Amino acid sequence: MSPTLPPTQRRPVAATPIAFVRAIALAYAQRGLDPQPALMDAGIDPAWLATPQARVTSLPFERLAARAMRELDDEALGWFSRRLPWGSYGMLARASLTAPDLGLALRRWCRHHALLTDDVLLQWREQEQHAELTLIEQRAPGADLPDVAQRATAREFAHVSLLRNVLGLAAWLIDARIVPTQVRLAFPAPPHADVYPLLFGGAPVLWDASATALRLDRAYLREPLRRDDAALRAMLPHAVRLMVRPYHHDRLLLERARAWLRTHPGADTAHLARALHVSPRTLQRQLHDSGTSVHALRDQVRHELATGYLLRTRWPIKRIAAAVGFDNDKSFMRAFRVWTGVSPAAWRRRASARPTHP
C-alpha cells in the first residue's frame, strides 16, 4: 500500500479527458503542423492520444492550450471557419469591463462575440428567476475535419470551451464562484462524462439536448463588476486558466447562505445546499474557508431574527420560537440563553427598559 501524502504534497488529480487534448492536436493537424513538440513541452506523452481512458492534470493541459492558441494564432483552436487571432477574447473582455453589473457585461459579451464569428451565435435571455446562454450553431465547430469521430471531438470541446469561457470570465469579473443551475449539452454523454460535474461545479447536466445551454441564477446578474483595466491586463496572459480551472473563490456564497436562512431559519445543510445549487460537502468546505459553518451561520441568523421580533413585536415566546425555526419554545429558550446569557423574556424586559434617544 502506498503511503498517504500530506495535503501539501498530494499529487493533483488527473481529470482532464484525453479527448480534449486530442481536440487541440486536431487543431494543429488542420494547419498541417505536428502537435508533438507542443504536447511534449507541456508534459503530455503523445502516445496517450491513442488511449481513450487517459487523463491529464489541469496544468499541462493549460500550458498546451495557451501555447496552441499563440502558435496557431487562433483562440478558437480550429473550431470556426476563420481563425480568432490571439487577443480576440481579450478584446471582448475589455468591452464588457465597463458594464455596471454582470448582467450587462454578459449581454455585451454575447453581442460582441458575433463580430468574431457567426458560426456559433451566443443567445442571452433573462427571465424572472434565471438567465440562460444558448449556443446557436449555424455551422458545427470542426465541420471540416475528415471523419465523424474527429468532428464529434472538436464539437464537444468547442461547446464546453465556449461555456467555460463565459462562466470563467463571469466569475472573475465579480470575484465569486458561480455555479450554474443547469447545463444542457447538444451531444450524447461521452465516456468521460464523469468530468462534467468538475467543469460546471456540480450543476445538473442534461445530455442530447436540442441546443447547448447554460442556466444561471439571476441573482448573479445584479452583482457589480469588481475588476479594472489593470486587473484585466494582469489576467489576460493567463486567461486560459479561467477556461480550464473552476473559479474557487466564492466571496458571495456566505452572503447568499445568510440571505436564504433569513427566510428559512430552520433549514438543515441539505436544504440550504440545494437552494444554493451546491453540494452539501462544497457548502461546508466553502463556509469553513470563510471561517464559519452552517450551524454557526444558522445560529447567527436565528439570534438576529429573534432579537428583532422581541424588540419590535409583542408576540409570545412560542410564536417567536416557531418564526425562527425551532420546533418548540423550550429548545428556543435554551439556545437563546447560550446566545445572550438570559432568557428571551428577560432580554425583552431589558430592551424595553433602555432609554430611547432623540
Side-chain angles (χ1 to χ4, degrees):
M1 181 182 294
S2 59
T4 301
L5 295 171
T8 56
Q9 298 179 30
R10 287 178 189 162
R11 298 180 183 90
V13 176
T16 303
I18 204 67
F20 292 176
V21 177
R22 196 181 298 119
I24 297 178
L26 287 171
Y28 275 93
Q30 283 179 283
R31 300 281 293 279
L33 299 173
D34 183 1
Q36 286 205 25
L39 290 167
M40 295 180 71
D41 282 353
I44 299 172
D45 187 340
W48 295 348
L49 296 179
T51 308
Q53 68 273 22
R55 303 282 177 100
V56 300
T57 56
S58 61
L59 183 57
F61 182 75
E62 181 184 323
R63 289 172 177 162
L64 175 65
R67 171 169 172 162
M69 289 178 184
R70 287 182 169 90
E71 204 161 58
L72 302 176
D73 195 23
D74 184 6
E75 292 191 342
L77 294 172
W79 311 329
F80 303 137
S81 54
R82 67 180 184 186
R83 291 183 299 108
L84 300 192
W86 178 254
S88 297
Y89 282 120
M91 179 183 67
L92 262 61
R94 184 163 278 109
S96 300
L97 191 63
T98 56
D101 56 45
L102 183 60
L104 181 56
L106 292 179
R107 288 196 295 275
R108 285 182 183 175
W109 176 276
C110 294
R111 184 172 66 250
H112 294 151
H113 195 274
L115 301 175
L116 303 180
T117 181
D118 56 8
D119 289 4
V120 175
L121 302 178
L122 306 185
Q123 182 185 76
W124 180 256
R125 290 182 176 173
E126 295 181 17
Q127 300 184 15
E128 186 175 347
Q129 298 298 325
H130 65 263
E132 195 161 280
L133 172 73
T134 304
L135 308 189
I136 308 297
E137 280 186 320
Q138 305 199 115
R139 175 188 176 276
D144 294 335
L145 287 164
D147 66 55
V148 173
Q150 291 178 343
R151 291 195 293 273
T153 296
R155 182 171 179 259
E156 178 195 355
F157 183 54
H159 281 222
V160 170
S161 298
L162 287 167
L163 295 187
R164 283 288 314 149
N165 277 342
V166 173
L167 194 60
L169 178 76
W172 179 82
L173 285 171
I174 64 172
D175 190 23
R177 184 170 178 265
I178 297 176
V179 178
T181 57
Q182 185 188 83
V183 178
R184 300 195 302 277
L185 297 163
F187 46 83
H192 47 268
D194 61 303
V195 78
Y196 276 78
L198 295 176
L199 293 172
F200 296 107
V205 175
L206 306 179
W207 305 98
D208 275 322
S210 58
T212 289
L214 181 78
R215 181 176 291 180
L216 301 177
D217 190 317
R218 204 163 186 270
Y220 288 119
L221 308 186
R222 296 189 288 270
E223 284 296 314
L225 272 54
R226 292 176 168 84
R227 304 293 187 176
D228 58 17
D229 194 62
L232 180 65
R233 289 196 304 272
M235 180 273 287
L236 285 177
H238 315 287
V240 175
R241 191 171 300 162
L242 296 178
M243 179 186 79
V244 173
R245 305 185 195 184
Y247 196 93
H248 287 298
H249 185 202
D250 199 346
R251 181 190 48 75
L252 299 178
L253 184 70
L254 177 60
E255 288 310 312
R256 289 172 59 220
R258 196 192 308 276
W260 197 81
L261 284 171
R262 286 190 183 108
T263 55
H264 305 81
D268 60 16
T269 300
H271 286 113
L272 178 59
R274 192 157 50 246
L276 300 178
H277 309 296
V278 297
S279 69
R281 187 175 180 179
T282 296
L283 173 64
Q284 290 166 332
R285 185 181 68 250
Q286 294 282 345
L287 291 180
H288 179 267
D289 291 346
S290 298
T292 187
S293 65
V294 175
H295 177 77
L297 196 59
R298 186 170 51 231
D299 267 6
Q300 290 170 13
V301 169
R302 285 173 157 179
H303 181 196
E304 292 168 7
L305 291 174
T307 53
Y309 288 136
L310 288 167
L311 189 61
R312 296 191 305 271
T313 75
R314 295 185 178 182
W315 290 356
I317 302 303
K318 190 169 186 176
R319 182 176 176 182
I320 293 175
V324 299
F326 284 87
D327 292 333
N328 57 72
D329 55 340
K330 290 183 178 178
S331 57
F332 167 62
M333 287 189 285
R334 282 196 300 271
F336 197 89
R337 281 187 178 275
V338 171
W339 300 334
T340 66
V342 297
S343 69
W347 189 94
R348 176 181 262 168
R349 285 195 298 272
R350 289 183 186 178
S352 299
R354 289 175 194 146
T356 56
H357 300 280

